[in-house]
Amino acid sequence: LSVPFLFVLLSANPARSDEIDKRLAPFFAPPAELAKDMGKYRSPLKFNDGSDVKTAADWAKRREEIRKTWHDLMGPWPEIIEKPKVEYLAKEKRDNYTQHHIRIQTAPKREVDDAYILIPEGKGPFPAVVVVYYDAKTALGLMEKEKGAFRDYAHQIAKRGFVALSLGGDPNTYYPDKETCKIQPLSVHAYEAANCCNALANMPNVDPKRIGIIGHSYGGKWAMFASCLYDRFACGVWSDGGVVFDEKRGNVNYWEPWYLGFEQGKDRKRGIPNEKNPRTGPYVKMIETGRDLHELHALMAPRPFLVSGGAEDQPERWVPLNHSIAVNKLLGVENRVAMTNRKTHSPDAESNEQAYLFLEEMLKKKPMK
């Protein structure tokens, strides 16, 4: 096995097949009518040349092939920052944790002020979660009137004994700027989250083997790409960002230039692609060559993830998720892929409780031997 993949096998904190919390257990299996439905998605267990992946060693090679394919399409990342700069600007006591406003280095020559670290009382080391959204204050529970209820992930997670790093992002930003951008913005966000993961891992009161990521909507896309592309995330929770391409749904809008459709010199109108408003950027090639996001999901194996599905990710999304189940089966593990469902795009009390239980299950319990 490759070193990164072996690291995942040994240091991730995957679900235990015999110890899953009874409240969560039902969400680790698709409905019976979808259990064997693989849809028209190309199997991640086939190499680009069409040959089959038959062993864990084969999968390690295929996994790197998938990763390279997607980085080649989206633009390669800069070197990961092993020790990002973190400057503490202000702090205040809230509930049973301390909230620190910080400035954090998320990329070379980029430092972000829209960030907070929440540290619970006690000695630690604590499990930790990166929380990503349009802005950092929403996850602190400070923007409910503007952004809606039940988006206070960092606040709720910190109260449960996690260190939480809340990071805001602007979907219209390009790195290093729009004129010289060579990496698709969604991939840049994933890279920034990876560096935030490292920042947490460097903290003495954080367990570096127990760091997850969560995000909703735009943040759900962000959390998915980050956890799939960066092995140090032990688990991920993706709330209704759209787990596969779907041009029938305007909110599953990976084609937009601030996600995967950026192309120098082309400005397309917002909205679902059509003949008068065609696809742009690497998203064009992704569609033409049959690529889809189930390939990225497979990079999580054997690390666990939860799709907190709403309007955009209804139960039929189990069809692409079945491919991740198949990869985990090849690796000899189960209960790594979960999905909950609600009718609305916005999270609610029940869906959030399920997400927090998942994080506690994956990050607070002892890892498998």
Side-chain angles (χ1 to χ4, degrees), residues 21-75:
D21 189 301
K22 292 181 179 179
R23 294 168 292 179
L24 288 174
F27 306 121
F28 283 86
E33 65 273 17
L34 297 176
K36 296 182 180 180
D37 190 347
M38 310 303 281
K40 296 181 180 180
Y41 299 96
R42 186 181 188 276
S43 173
L45 293 175
K46 284 187 177 294
F47 286 96
N48 285 343
D49 65 6
S51 59
D52 292 330
V53 174
K54 298 180 180 179
T55 66
D58 286 346
W59 171 245
K61 296 175 183 177
R62 171 59 178 150
R63 189 172 184 272
E64 291 308 308
E65 184 178 64
I66 293 172
R67 187 199 302 271
K68 183 178 186 302
T69 296
W70 281 83
H71 277 309
D72 286 349
L73 284 165
M74 297 185 294

Side-chain angles (χ1 to χ4, degrees), residues 67 70-71 74-85 104-112 130 132 165 167-169 173-176 181-200 213 218-219 221-233 258-260 296:
R67 187 199 302 271
W70 281 83
H71 277 309
M74 297 185 294
W77 284 0
E79 289 293 322
I80 290 289
I81 304 171
E82 294 298 331
K83 295 184 178 180
K85 299 176 184 176
I104 185 168
Q105 182 184 20
T106 60
K109 299 182 180 180
R110 174 176 286 187
E111 294 183 359
V112 174
V130 177
V132 289
L165 194 163
L167 181 70
T173 56
Y174 301 85
Y175 180 80
C181 177
K182 295 182 179 180
I183 311 172
Q184 291 301 299
L186 187 53
S187 184
V188 172
H189 290 330
Y191 170 73
E192 291 184 293
N195 289 323
C196 288
C197 180
N198 282 356
L200 285 172
I213 185 168
Y218 158 60
K221 291 178 171 68
W222 185 350
M224 181 174 69
F225 271 65
S227 53
C228 292
L229 292 170
Y230 193 55
D231 295 344
R232 198 167 200 171
F233 284 111
W258 53 85
Y259 287 133
L260 299 174
L296 291 184

